[in-house]
Amino acid sequence: MTIHRTGFGNRLLAALPPEDLALLAPHFQKVSFEPDAVLVRSGDELDPVYFPHSGAIAFMLDMPDGQTVATTLMGREGALASFSVLGPSLSSVTATARLAGTASLISAAKFRAAYARSAAIRHVVQVHARALLLQLQHVAACNALHRVDGRMARWLLQLHDRVPDDLLPVTQEALAQLLGVRRTTVTLTMSKLRAAGAIPSDRRGSVEIHRARLERVACECYGLMQRNIDRMYCQELSAPQPAFAPFRESSIVAFDEAGAESRAASRERK
């Protein structure tokens, strides 16, 4: 990883009042990570804590037969190893970068000290923990109930939320690991999504998507999960900053409590 000057583009850090952020800021280093970089290995101590500013980090569960499957995807709305506030502990998953990005990094000991002193820091950690649990629950249900094409569309949309354009720098091997399937299954599923117009092109190391069509293919888990998490962040984080909204605006966010706006209408506006 490369060390840079520190800045704050993370949603959790942006929600902190200045006096609480000041407990963390002097101890931060800003680092960059490349795709496939392993930030935490299963069995490693949860130290340091990463607050991503950009990119995407997947939590990968390593199975005894050597296969892996993703349980969570985290970007600038989260904090990797934030559970270290509970005390020294070992990671149960491997955290792997899926999209290159940057993060502010702080030692677990310094983070625990600030957590103990600040109610605001404790609050943002609690909100993040509940959002993480919500995502884990949705992914578990999705993996059990839905077809591979719908699940792949969900992962692609989650990655797309964290990049500035429609070309995703992701390999078929990375998609196979996210889904917990073989490369041949990814190839067949990509062909199906191409036929539906959801993926205009895919070449070595990148996938171009048509977002509106990909949303039609994705299972309902994506919209439900992102809507619930986004609502949780907007309602419960103190002083949320729109510039740091965790998810791309799309048809899934434009619903009010009465459901007055339909997905179809949102797609028409696109």
Side-chain angles (χ1 to χ4, degrees):
M1 294 183 294
T2 305
I3 297 176
H4 303 283
R5 294 179 61 191
T6 301
F8 304 112
N10 178 273
R11 180 70 184 270
L12 301 179
L13 298 181
L16 291 173
E19 59 272 21
D20 298 273
L21 182 60
L23 298 174
L24 301 171
H27 309 294
F28 276 138
Q29 286 184 318
K30 193 171 179 184
V31 299
S32 61
F33 48 84
E34 296 301 319
D36 299 323
V38 175
L39 304 183
V40 178
R41 291 189 186 278
S42 178
D44 284 356
E45 185 176 349
L46 288 172
D47 188 12
V49 181
Y50 294 81
F51 289 86
H53 303 290
S54 61
I57 300 166
F59 290 9
M60 309 298 300
L61 187 63
D62 304 312
M63 304 303 290
D65 63 0
Q67 285 189 296
T68 61
V69 64
T71 60
T72 320
L73 195 68
M74 178 185 293
R76 59 184 179 178
E77 77 285 354
L80 172 61
S82 60
F83 291 167
S84 62
V85 295
L86 302 176
S89 58
L90 304 182
S91 177
S92 59
V93 296
T94 296
T96 303
R98 284 297 165 227
L99 299 174
T102 60
S104 284
L105 159 150
I106 185 172
S107 74
K110 296 289 187 184
F111 186 56
R112 280 195 293 272
Y115 177 89
R117 293 177 58 186
S118 167
I121 293 175
R122 292 194 294 274
H123 176 65
V124 298
V125 170
Q126 287 177 349
V127 173
H128 171 52
R130 291 196 295 108
L132 197 62
L133 178 60
L134 181 60
Q135 186 179 164
L136 286 167
Q137 291 170 332
H138 276 288
V139 171
C142 185
N143 287 347
L145 299 174
H146 296 140
R147 301 184 316 182
V148 175
D149 54 342
R151 289 162 48 207
M152 181 183 287
R154 172 177 57 80
W155 282 120
L156 289 172
L157 288 167
Q158 287 184 263
L159 290 169
H160 189 229
D161 288 336
R162 296 166 171 88
V163 296
D165 54 43
D166 292 337
L167 191 64
L168 307 182
V170 62
T171 64
Q172 288 199 10
E173 179 63 32
L175 288 172
Q177 291 179 353
L178 285 172
L179 288 159
V181 299
R182 297 179 179 178
R183 278 282 302 275
T184 52
T185 303
V186 171
T187 301
L188 291 172
T189 306
M190 295 283 277
S191 298
K192 185 181 291 188
L193 295 180
R194 242 190 335 266
I199 296 179
S201 68
D202 64 286
R203 39 193 182 273
R204 189 176 183 85
S206 64
V207 176
E208 181 187 4
I209 72 162
H210 187 296
R211 185 171 180 99
R213 292 173 183 169
L214 195 63
E215 286 182 2
R216 295 188 190 109
V217 176
C219 58
E220 62 270 22
C221 293
Y222 173 75
L224 181 62
M225 175 175 65
Q226 303 300 73
R227 206 159 49 241
N228 288 340
I229 292 174
D230 196 54
R231 183 181 295 116
M232 182 185 299
Y233 269 70
C234 290
Q235 291 179 352
E236 299 185 29
L237 282 184
S238 60
Q241 302 294 316
F244 303 129
F247 306 119
R248 181 186 303 270
E249 285 192 17
S250 71
S251 60
I252 63 123
V253 183
F255 285 61
D256 60 21
E257 291 299 322
E261 204 164 291
S262 68
R263 283 183 77 119
S266 297
R267 293 188 189 113
E268 286 296 323
R269 286 196 299 275
K270 290 183 178 182

